[in-house]
Amino acid sequence: MSKKLNIAIIGLGFGAEFIPIYQKHPMANIYAICQRNKEKLDEIGDAFGIAKRYTDYDELLKDPNIDAVHINTPIQAHAEQSLKALRAGKHVACTVPMATTVEECRQIVEETERTGLTYMMMETVIYSREFLFVKEMYEKGAMGKLQFLRASHQQEMAGWPGYWEGLPPMHYATHCVGPVLALPKAEAEYVSCFGSGRIDENLIEKYGSPFAIESCHIKLKDTDLSAEVTRSLFNTARQYRESFDAYGSEKSFEWTLIENEDSVVHTGEIPEKVKIPDFAHLLPEEIAPFTTAGVYDDDDNQHLSFIQGAGHGGSHPHLVHEFIVALKEGRAPYPNARQSANITCVGILAHESAMNGGEKIKLPDFTFNK
């Protein structure tokens, strides 16, 4: 338990944000970094004093000193890189989504169970201060019985790298699916989704997806709860929004309609605007400051996900801490491989449902916890 875990970070755009968190975590050590562009690799390595550098991911995986990899590469690479790491004997933390197909999700789940290694999808919203606020209220019993959940993730992806152009909205849905499953600690049993509107014709051809908005109803397994999630990526006028609402018999929470304004808690029929507190007190003091500051926190040094994502709700140090502590304690993190697959497959199957007029589609058994 006293030995620090050696972590390698793969992808140094968004991934660079996590370097100082791991460096300061009392149980972790940034052992190596990996980036195909050597100039960028050396720039980051020099800035953070990291000697072990790789431009070849396969070579990195041969290094016996690496305990775990944290993958922050484009979404099409997530499944292949996660599987390679697990087969090389490394634990895996991976940015969202887990994969782009149901089959890839199945392979990752099977590989974690074959090897006994740990996989965690690093879903930011379920470790954001807003989610932690609602979670605390719910777990203390203040909300009463949970009655319904709703979430949305709306953004304009114009100007992002080309592989995003025309992406089906629900193929990148984990930011809204994650919280509606995580709050009640539930799994999605089946989905029904409708597409609405139409994106520019030149965007449709890449993925064959015509919809401007996809809206999905989710039936939660072994509960009386259902949830609704909405996702848009192109040709929809809306300020960036990652949101969730939670309705209880005693109290309900509704996310602010406008970024940086206050959210609302309803007690019975009485509304009250609330200031969401920070939850840095849940973290080791060494990494607590990273809930409000990081690598990309300067006006001249902003990553696009931060400009639109409002800093991800201070979630990054919470994600790192959950992953590291789970490895140290030999327990499953949240979300583990099956839970990550359930969250990811909701989006994949929701788009399939939308393309088939709202057909009800069941989640596969491998996405349910044993």
Side-chain angles (χ1 to χ4, degrees):
M1 288 289 288
S2 60
K3 179 184 177 291
K4 289 188 175 185
L5 292 164
N6 281 338
I7 309 297
I9 289 188
I10 321 304
L12 300 177
F14 173 56
E17 171 68 19
F18 292 90
I19 292 175
I21 304 174
Y22 281 112
Q23 284 181 323
K24 290 186 179 294
H25 196 287
M27 302 177 193
N29 170 52
I30 281 291
Y31 173 80
I33 53 176
C34 183
Q35 173 80 20
R36 285 177 299 179
N37 182 312
K38 189 174 188 306
E39 183 179 351
K40 175 72 170 178
L41 176 71
D42 289 337
E43 177 189 341
I44 296 294
D46 291 346
F48 290 100
I50 302 166
K52 206 72 173 178
R53 307 171 190 180
Y54 290 91
T55 56
D56 187 319
Y57 180 58
D58 292 333
E59 287 302 309
L60 177 145
L61 292 177
K62 295 175 185 177
D63 192 325
N65 294 313
I66 295 171
D67 297 306
V69 298
H70 184 162
I71 297 167
N72 298 278
T73 53
I75 59 175
Q76 291 87 347
H78 292 179
E80 180 185 8
Q81 291 178 338
S82 295
L83 287 165
K84 281 184 173 183
L86 291 166
R87 290 164 182 161
K90 316 298 185 189
H91 301 288
V92 175
C94 184
T95 191
V96 300
M98 182 185 212
T100 59
T101 69
V102 171
E103 174 59 19
E104 289 171 335
C105 291
R106 182 189 65 78
Q107 290 179 29
I108 293 170
V109 169
E110 289 183 352
E111 202 61 32
T112 59
E113 294 177 359
R114 183 188 71 82
T115 60
L117 293 165
T118 294
Y119 174 95
M120 178 181 172
M121 184 174 71
M122 304 295 262
E123 172 47 59
T124 55
V125 175
I126 59 176
Y127 287 93
S128 68
R129 60 181 65 90
E130 293 86 357
F131 181 82
L132 295 174
F133 173 77
V134 179
K135 179 173 180 279
E136 181 179 76
M137 189 165 55
Y138 173 58
E139 291 181 347
K140 285 182 175 178
M143 296 184 74
K145 174 176 165 40
L146 206 55
Q147 301 285 31
F148 181 66
L149 297 146
R150 175 186 289 124
S152 70
H153 182 188
Q154 293 186 261
Q155 68 190 122
E156 175 56 61
M157 299 295 285
W160 284 66
Y163 62 83
W164 290 100
E165 292 176 353
L167 187 77
M170 282 291 169
H171 275 200
Y172 193 76
T174 67
H175 291 328
C176 51
V177 176
V180 302
L181 299 182
L183 186 63
K185 295 185 171 67
E187 298 159 341
E189 183 178 8
Y190 56 84
V191 300
S192 175
C193 181
F194 287 95
S196 184
R198 192 172 182 87
I199 59 175
D200 292 339
E201 296 302 314
N202 66 302
L203 295 173
I204 295 172
E205 57 191 32
K206 185 170 288 189
Y207 294 97
S209 174
F211 304 121
I213 293 179
E214 291 180 328
S215 182
C216 175
H217 268 91
I218 307 167
K219 178 65 179 72
L220 275 57
K221 187 173 181 287
D222 299 327
T223 79
D224 56 8
L225 285 170
S226 66
E228 185 269 328
V229 296
T230 299
R231 189 74 174 92
S232 66
L233 293 168
F234 296 96
N235 300 117
T236 303
R238 181 66 171 88
Q239 181 189 35
Y240 183 96
R241 190 179 195 228
E242 289 177 21
S243 76
F244 71 94
D245 303 328
Y247 295 90
S249 58
E250 303 298 323
K251 287 181 183 287
S252 297
F253 172 86
E254 291 184 328
W255 191 282
T256 177
L257 287 171
I258 300 174
E259 194 70 50
N260 298 319
E261 291 190 358
D262 293 336
S263 294
V264 178
V265 170
H266 299 264
T267 303
E269 296 184 22
I270 302 171
E272 178 187 4
K273 290 185 176 182
V274 293
K275 298 285 185 188
I276 305 296
D278 197 31
F279 281 81
H281 64 277
L282 300 179
L283 298 165
E285 62 180 18
E286 294 92 339
I287 64 169
F290 291 109
T291 61
T292 54
V295 174
Y296 296 113
D297 58 2
D298 184 271
D299 287 343
D300 297 323
N301 186 32
Q302 286 282 346
H303 191 267
L304 191 51
S305 69
F306 263 49
I307 294 170
Q308 291 194 334
H312 295 159
S315 61
H316 296 174
H318 293 283
L319 287 163
V320 167
H321 188 58
E322 171 69 3
F323 182 57
I324 293 299
V325 171
L327 292 180
K328 281 292 189 180
E329 294 180 352
R331 63 167 174 83
Y334 187 86
N336 64 22
R338 283 179 175 250
Q339 291 159 335
S340 300
N342 191 257
I343 293 168
T344 300
C345 287
V346 164
I348 295 169
L349 296 176
H351 176 65
E352 182 180 325
S353 171
M355 295 297 286
N356 288 282
E359 175 189 1
K360 187 168 76 175
I361 302 179
K362 191 177 185 299
L363 273 291
D365 287 346
F366 74 81
T367 71
F368 304 143
N369 267 327
K370 293 179 177 179

